[in-house]
Amino acid sequence: AQSVTQPDIHITVSEGASLELRCNYSYGATPYLFWYVQSPGQGLQLLLKYFSGDTLVQGIKGFEAEFKRSQSSFNLRKPSVHWSDAAEYFCAFITGNQFYFGTGTSLTVIP
Amino acid sequence: NAGVTQTPKFQVLKTGQSMTLQCAQDMNHEYMSWYRQDPGMGLRLIHYSVGAGITDQGEVPNGYNVSRSTTEDFPLRLLSAAPSQTSVYFCASSSLGQGGYTFGSGTRLTVV
């Protein structure tokens, strides 16, 4: 079955520390992969996407993600977290016209 | 401003009432969809449309109805509201083949 797994429900990091949010997908081929961010009370904003080519993709707000086919993973990273990064993060992929979302990882940033 | 517009932002319904959540986009996107977001469950697809006159069911379609008479609009109808439909509803659109959704800001619905 097609699915997206975000194993970490909640992560807490200190401001200035590095961040890695995990995402694994289950699909028979390489899907189009996305990371979205949702601030409290807001809709989802696209951070970055991977379709093909270079497996390290850069996004907005200093985020990057690396696609690893062998691990069926698409982990999101940021070298130095800012307090404004506190939000919910969703990994997703699309096959045909259907998106599949993970259940999200909530990020808390400690000053 | 270009984007996806959802109305209303907040709504309280009594059990059994019906209502329509509005969604409009001005980006000429073919693909539009409705999701509900519940704590610990992420986003679940209710219905989607790949163009005017074409709709299909998603993961959790029961109790909801949609139509797509124009490219711009994709309303979601609750036929007879139930407390289990208390949720935050998001409309999203994309251009077919381009990937990446544009999301509306959501409608927070409470059914009492």
Side-chain angles (χ1 to χ4, degrees):
Chain A
Q2 297 154 346
S3 65
V4 178
T5 301
Q6 293 180 247
D8 303 306
I9 296 173
H10 186 251
I11 285 182
T12 300
V13 299
S14 297
E15 190 168 17
S18 63
L19 172 70
E20 182 168 28
L21 302 182
R22 295 183 291 165
C23 172
N24 293 95
Y25 66 89
S26 175
Y27 182 59
T30 300
Y32 293 167
L33 293 155
F34 305 84
W35 274 100
Y36 285 86
V37 60
Q38 183 182 30
S39 297
Q42 301 298 313
L44 280 73
Q45 180 185 21
L46 180 66
L47 281 176
L48 48 78
K49 59 187 176 184
Y50 172 77
F51 285 179
S52 65
D54 192 346
T55 56
L56 184 64
V57 293
Q58 303 297 320
I60 63 172
K61 305 185 180 186
F63 285 92
E64 65 178 27
E66 184 173 14
F67 169 64
K68 293 185 177 180
R69 186 191 309 273
S70 61
Q71 299 177 17
S72 296
S73 68
F74 189 55
N75 294 348
L76 182 71
R77 300 194 295 248
K78 187 169 185 178
S80 178
V81 171
H82 188 263
W83 64 267
S84 61
D85 294 324
E88 187 102 17
Y89 292 82
F90 292 91
C91 181
F93 73 83
I94 187 171
T95 71
N97 294 316
Q98 291 227 20
F99 269 84
Y100 295 85
F101 284 90
T103 52
T105 298
S106 177
L107 175 65
T108 297
V109 180
I110 299 173
Chain B
N1 292 333
V4 178
T5 302
Q6 287 185 240
T7 56
K9 293 189 182 301
F10 301 94
Q11 183 71 50
V12 178
L13 288 179
K14 294 182 178 179
T15 298
Q17 286 185 318
S18 63
M19 79 159 295
T20 300
L21 280 62
Q22 301 292 342
C23 175
Q25 54 92 7
D26 57 3
M27 298 169 286
N28 203 32
H29 284 169
E30 304 93 340
Y31 185 84
M32 296 186 74
S33 57
W34 277 101
Y35 287 86
R36 60 177 291 173
Q37 184 178 32
D38 302 291
M41 304 192 74
L43 287 93
R44 293 182 292 169
L45 181 64
I46 304 171
H47 286 286
Y48 67 96
S49 168
V50 298
I54 306 170
T55 64
D56 206 346
Q57 296 180 351
E59 181 184 356
V60 288
N62 292 339
Y64 307 95
N65 202 0
V66 293
S67 60
R68 183 94 179 269
S69 56
T70 67
T71 300
E72 294 78 20
D73 300 300
F74 191 45
L76 178 72
R77 297 180 186 85
L78 278 70
L79 308 174
S80 178
S84 61
Q85 293 178 305
T86 293
S87 186
V88 181
Y89 292 84
F90 288 100
C91 179
S93 72
S94 75
S95 180
L96 289 176
Q98 298 298 314
Y101 273 141
T102 299
F103 280 85
S105 57
T107 296
R108 185 173 296 275
L109 175 68
T110 302
V111 182
V112 298

